[in-house]
Amino acid sequence: MLLSFALHGCCVKHHIHQAFCNAQKCVKSLTVRGLATSSNQLFVRRTSQRFVSQTRGAKTHKQKQQEEWKRKNKTILTYIAAAGVGMIGMSYAAVPLYRLYCQASGLGGTATAGHDTDLVETMKPVKDRIIKVTFNADTHASLQWNFRPQQSEIYIVPGETALAFYTAQNPTDKPVIGISTYNVVPFEAGQYFNKIQCFCFEEQRLNPHEEVDMPVFFYIDPEFDEDPRMARVDTITLSYTFFEAKEGQILPLPGYS
């Protein structure tokens, strides 16, 4: 009986030990699973945060690039606009300066302004060089005037004065102020075409339905006959263009861009 009790006690101890081992294994398994789950959660959390941080960083970098591009584009557009305004201003300023230069030098087909009184009185006509001078009249689209030359052509010789007339009429029911520019063709002959009296670059006010005659008193310098470039020139055209006079308006030179 004692032996049976001892064997029974050993069995109980064995079962208790086995149960204890099983319990330890379960605890270890649960612990490992918990640690694995915690590690996974921590990994996922850190990965998510890192991904979000990278995404935010990428967005921030992209936004900075866009802002930088916008700033550069604005700078470029500012430079382009400034250059455009400068070019326009230079083009408008070049017209009157060029016109004054041509009037003084006679270059570019613009008749030379002013004259030497002594030269007019003492110059000798070149009788064997006859030149036909034709006349042309134009008006700008904004000016409703009737403008025309009274003669289509005249014949003169270098060193001889001549008088021609233009007629301007205002057919409207309101007063209109006009101003004219002139030109000479061929251009090279402009330096020899001298005007003693002219209505160009002066404001002309015409009342409703008023008509006026405007004289042009001129001569061709005798040196015209000595210039080899003028050897084949036997016709010169004097052209006038009238514009409506407006404040701030800069008159162009006919025949030039």
Side-chain angles (χ1 to χ4, degrees):
M1 183 174 182
L2 291 172
L3 180 60
S4 176
F5 181 78
L7 291 172
H8 179 73
C10 290
C11 291
V12 171
K13 287 182 179 180
H14 176 73
H15 286 295
I16 291 173
H17 178 71
Q18 188 174 4
F20 180 76
C21 291
N22 291 334
Q24 285 183 338
K25 288 181 180 180
C26 289
V27 171
K28 288 182 179 180
S29 178
L30 291 174
T31 303
V32 171
R33 289 181 182 178
L35 290 174
T37 303
S38 299
S39 299
N40 290 335
Q41 291 178 352
L42 181 61
F43 175 76
V44 172
R45 186 181 303 169
R46 289 183 177 178
T47 304
S48 301
Q49 290 179 351
R50 186 179 302 172
F51 178 75
V52 171
S53 300
Q54 289 179 352
T55 305
R56 290 179 179 175
K59 289 183 178 179
T60 304
H61 181 67
K62 188 175 182 180
Q63 290 176 352
K64 289 182 179 179
Q65 282 185 339
Q66 290 178 351
E67 292 177 357
E68 183 69 16
W69 290 340
K70 289 181 180 179
R71 185 181 64 80
K72 289 182 178 180
N73 290 337
K74 287 183 180 179
T75 303
I76 294 173
L77 289 175
T78 301
Y79 286 146
I80 292 174
V85 172
M87 291 177 66
I88 293 173
M90 290 178 64
S91 64
Y92 275 101
V95 172
L97 292 176
Y98 181 71
R99 182 176 63 207
L100 292 175
Y101 173 75
C102 288
Q103 283 181 327
S105 63
L107 298 178
T110 304
T112 304
H115 62 280
D116 188 342
T117 304
D118 295 336
L119 176 61
V120 174
E121 293 178 352
T122 58
M123 63 182 180
K124 297 180 179 180
V126 183
K127 298 294 185 179
D128 58 346
R129 185 70 185 275
I130 300 175
I131 301 171
K132 180 174 72 174
V133 179
T134 62
F135 301 89
N136 181 64
D138 295 302
T139 57
H140 189 262
S142 63
L143 183 65
Q144 299 179 4
W145 275 12
N146 297 324
F147 179 54
R148 60 179 179 82
Q150 292 188 10
Q151 63 290 308
S152 60
E153 60 187 38
I154 60 175
Y155 291 87
I156 64 173
V157 298
E160 181 180 71
T161 59
L163 181 64
F165 286 91
Y166 281 79
T167 298
Q169 188 214 8
N170 176 17
T172 67
D173 296 328
K174 63 179 182 179
V176 178
I177 298 176
I179 188 169
S180 67
T181 63
Y182 59 87
N183 208 343
V184 174
V185 178
F187 297 157
E188 295 80 5
Q191 59 183 312
Y192 300 110
F193 199 102
N194 295 270
K195 295 185 293 73
I196 301 173
Q197 182 180 356
C198 173
F199 54 87
C200 52
F201 301 119
E202 296 180 358
E203 292 186 352
Q204 307 289 333
R205 177 189 172 92
L206 294 184
N207 293 320
H209 306 287
E210 182 181 6
E211 181 177 298
V212 296
D213 295 332
M214 293 176 287
V216 181
F217 191 35
F218 65 95
Y219 68 91
I220 297 177
D221 195 298
E223 293 183 0
F224 176 90
D225 187 54
E226 301 174 5
D227 190 340
R229 297 176 301 168
M230 302 293 107
R232 296 182 178 275
V233 176
D234 55 7
T235 301
I236 297 176
T237 299
L238 176 63
S239 178
Y240 281 88
T241 303
F242 254 106
F243 298 81
E244 185 175 359
K246 295 181 180 179
E247 184 177 357
Q249 180 179 6
I250 301 176
L251 297 179
L253 283 173
Y256 295 91
S257 57

